Amino acid sequence: MDTVLVVGNGESRLNLDISSFQDSYDVIGCNAIHRETQTDHLVCCDKRMVEEAIISPNTEHTKIWVRPDWYRYFRKIKKDKRINLVPVLPYTGESKQDDPIHWGSGPYAVLLGANMYSTIMLVGFDLYGINGKINNVYKNTKNYHSSDANAVDYSYWVYQISKVFQNYPDKEFIIWNNPNWTLPNSWKLKNVHLQILSEKVA
């Protein structure tokens, strides 16, 4: 397959059955998506998320991608062969957003997709909060904020994912979201296309 579906955990994907796409595409997921379905790849930047993922019944055949510190621990010490190291950033920069330690699972999942596939479809990358509150399908569950928590600052996600788009100009990125969702200005590039989620990912 040369097309991948990269799944973020924004609430725009709540009505999508991710498993229904797995016959057509490889799937890269983030963090707790293993609670609901199997994915080909799973990106977990937080140690708690890795610990949860490795004991999940849905990750037996999943490649789990982690930061260098967790790679050394889970792959070298725990001997878990599912554990892989997240890709190296395709550029260097001097701002805080350019430091790999400040890259989260979402941007790394997009980067992983760009490293391995020609067409990268993104769903659930909502960025923005909902009425100023957190936007995440797993809110109010273990390892996640409660629904009354303030929305996360999305500026890092916008900046870092734009860097992936910019550094892979020959790759096609298709972003699926709701009709009222706003594409960030820095994402308005020739290789980035916005599609309406109600038209169904296809």
Side-chain angles (χ1 to χ4, degrees):
M1 295 182 183
D2 207 25
T3 298
V4 66
L5 180 66
V6 183
V7 184
N9 293 329
E11 296 178 41
S12 65
R13 74 165 179 85
L14 274 173
N15 294 324
L16 286 179
D17 177 8
I18 300 302
S19 63
S20 68
F21 301 103
Q22 293 174 326
D23 288 339
S24 301
Y25 313 111
D26 285 350
V27 177
I28 299 174
C30 299
N31 297 321
I33 192 174
H34 63 80
R35 296 176 186 174
E36 60 186 278
T37 189
Q38 299 178 29
T39 59
D40 301 284
H41 305 273
L42 180 68
V43 180
C44 299
C45 286
D46 186 278
K47 186 180 181 182
R48 295 172 302 171
M49 294 297 181
V50 184
E51 290 173 334
E52 180 182 333
I54 62 174
I55 62 173
S56 170
N58 278 334
T59 62
E60 182 180 358
H61 303 293
T62 298
K63 291 184 178 180
I64 303 172
W65 299 79
V66 304
R67 297 185 188 279
D69 287 348
W70 313 143
Y71 179 84
R72 287 190 289 270
Y73 178 73
F74 290 104
R75 183 65 181 257
K76 300 298 184 181
I77 298 176
K78 294 294 186 179
K79 308 296 185 181
D80 194 320
K81 294 183 179 180
R82 294 170 296 175
I83 301 297
N84 295 269
L85 188 61
V86 291
V88 175
L89 300 190
Y91 75 100
T92 56
E94 298 181 355
S95 71
K96 189 175 180 180
Q97 298 98 316
D98 299 315
D99 187 337
I101 197 63
H102 293 295
W103 275 57
S105 299
Y108 266 126
V110 180
L111 177 60
L112 180 63
N115 267 267
M116 298 192 297
Y117 301 86
S118 295
T119 301
I120 302 94
M121 302 190 303
L122 280 64
V123 67
F125 283 81
D126 296 356
L127 303 175
Y128 320 117
I130 299 175
N131 297 321
K133 300 300 181 181
I134 190 168
N135 176 349
N136 194 291
V137 297
Y138 301 113
K139 61 189 179 185
N140 295 323
T141 68
K142 183 181 178 180
N143 296 326
Y144 283 88
H145 293 298
S146 64
S147 58
D148 60 356
N150 290 331
V152 178
D153 177 6
Y154 58 84
S155 62
Y156 276 39
W157 300 334
V158 171
Y159 176 87
Q160 292 162 351
I161 294 174
S162 74
K163 287 294 186 181
V164 179
F165 297 157
Q166 293 166 14
N167 281 276
Y168 292 85
D170 295 331
K171 303 296 179 79
E172 181 183 18
F173 299 89
I174 303 171
I175 302 169
W176 293 86
N177 216 298
N178 294 321
N180 60 347
W181 187 80
T182 301
L183 185 73
N185 286 331
S186 62
W187 291 15
K188 295 177 180 177
L189 303 168
K190 290 182 178 180
N191 61 331
V192 179
H193 310 285
L194 178 62
Q195 298 288 340
I196 303 303
L197 192 56
S198 59
E199 295 174 358
K200 189 180 179 181
V201 178

